[in-house]
Amino acid sequence: MLALGIDIGGSGIKGAVVDTECGSLVSDRMRVPTPRDLSPEALAGILHNLFSDLDWKKGPVGIGFPGVIRGNTIFTAANLDKRLVGLNLEEVLDGLGSAPVRVLNDADAAGFAEMEFGAGLPYRKQGTVLLLTVGTGIGTVMFVDGVLVPNLELGHVEFNGAEAEHLVSERTRKHEDLSWKRWAKRFSGYLEYLERLLNPDVIILGGGGVSKVGKFEKHLSIQTPWVMANNGNRAGIIGAALAAASRAG
Ligand code: BGC
């Protein structure tokens, strides 16, 4: 089945048409920089343009958003404009003729892509998988025996006296000009904290902030086996499309 996958992020809003049988993109990957003031109207305009650029007139649409999602409504937006809280994205797309619409947390979407076509495959039926996305924020996802625990949001727990994502996100590494070693030691401490809390069978690391694995891997001192995500910067798009297609049946 073909489905449109959209990934709303702190620095870019990306979209592509996905073949959900094999998890590949069958259109160009479009990207619009996220405006600093992303009002509901601005977001609606960007989504409408994506539909027309990709010539998407009907069929499932999945949208990953960096916040807590219930139904198709945004409940939190830690790193985006707070005016988006309360917005129902299905209603925003109303009139474009597409259905069904499925809105979900962006990290949950990336998790679906990894469980279906990536590093999570061996744990699809059994095991506890913890996946982290490192970018503007920290996304956390857990699958238990193949079932998603949605909206986990462990990037916001208190760690070493601060909100975890304020210490270990890619944005913080750049903002504080941390060396890879310093950042990696912090990150490793955070992963150790999460492994004590959740005892996963495997930790999967994804997101742009960990793409240079060679720079930090030797500083990670966790007990749990860890692997890199396979779907790179397409995971959010692919996973959102998969989630929408599964709803389409
Ligand atoms: C948000 C999460 C999101 C993560 C990664 C956090 O700030 O609260 O919902 O998954 O950033 O984008």
Side-chain angles (χ1 to χ4, degrees):
M1 178 185 292
L2 295 185
L4 176 60
I6 297 176
D7 182 16
I8 300 175
S11 59
I13 300 175
K14 289 91 57 182
V17 180
V18 178
D19 179 342
T20 60
E21 304 303 319
C22 59
S24 21
L25 306 193
V26 296
S27 74
D28 288 342
R29 174 178 173 274
M30 314 299 248
R31 184 181 189 279
V32 184
T34 308
R36 185 179 285 272
D37 300 316
L38 185 65
S39 64
E41 297 71 26
L43 179 57
I46 291 170
L47 294 177
H48 284 221
N49 288 342
L50 266 177
F51 271 62
S52 72
D53 290 349
L54 290 165
D55 199 23
W56 190 256
K57 298 206 177 67
K58 58 181 169 55
V61 179
I63 305 181
F65 181 89
V68 172
I69 303 295
R70 291 209 176 85
N72 284 328
T73 298
I74 297 168
F75 270 72
T76 67
N79 293 306
L80 288 177
D81 197 310
K82 301 294 177 281
R83 284 173 294 176
L84 297 173
V85 172
L87 189 67
N88 179 318
L89 287 177
E90 186 175 11
E91 286 169 12
V92 169
L93 298 181
D94 207 22
L96 292 180
S98 250
V101 175
R102 167 113 186 244
V103 187
L104 70 168
N105 173 263
D106 59 347
D108 291 356
F112 278 130
E114 288 303 319
M115 294 303 285
E116 202 64 35
F117 300 113
L121 259 175
Y123 304 89
R124 231 175 126 215
K125 297 239 156 58
Q126 208 183 356
T128 301
V129 176
L130 177 66
L131 183 145
L132 277 86
T133 63
V134 181
T136 308
I138 295 285
T140 53
V141 195
M142 191 161 72
F143 283 85
V144 181
D145 297 343
V147 178
L148 171 74
V149 181
N151 295 314
L152 199 59
E153 295 289 340
L154 294 177
H156 301 295
V157 293
E158 192 183 318
F159 167 68
N160 281 355
E163 194 170 331
E165 85 171 13
H166 295 165
L167 290 177
V168 299
S169 67
E170 179 183 29
R171 177 154 79 179
T172 299
R173 181 178 60 72
K174 291 183 171 161
H175 190 70
E176 294 184 15
D177 200 16
L178 296 175
S179 66
W180 277 104
K181 184 174 171 187
R182 244 186 109 209
W183 174 81
K185 292 204 157 168
R186 276 191 195 179
F187 187 55
S188 185
Y190 173 55
L191 292 178
E192 284 164 43
Y193 173 66
L194 294 183
E195 74 181 346
R196 279 200 303 279
L197 205 62
L198 303 168
N199 289 300
D201 294 306
V202 66
I203 296 179
I204 303 175
L205 300 181
V210 290
S211 57
K212 294 188 177 152
V213 59
K215 302 263 188 205
F216 65 85
E217 59 185 340
K218 58 176 179 290
H219 304 297
L220 295 192
S221 52
I222 51 175
Q223 303 299 316
T224 311
W226 64 272
V227 290
M228 296 302 293
N230 288 353
N231 288 290
N233 61 10
R234 299 170 322 242
I237 295 176
I238 296 170
L242 286 178
S246 75
R247 185 154 292 180

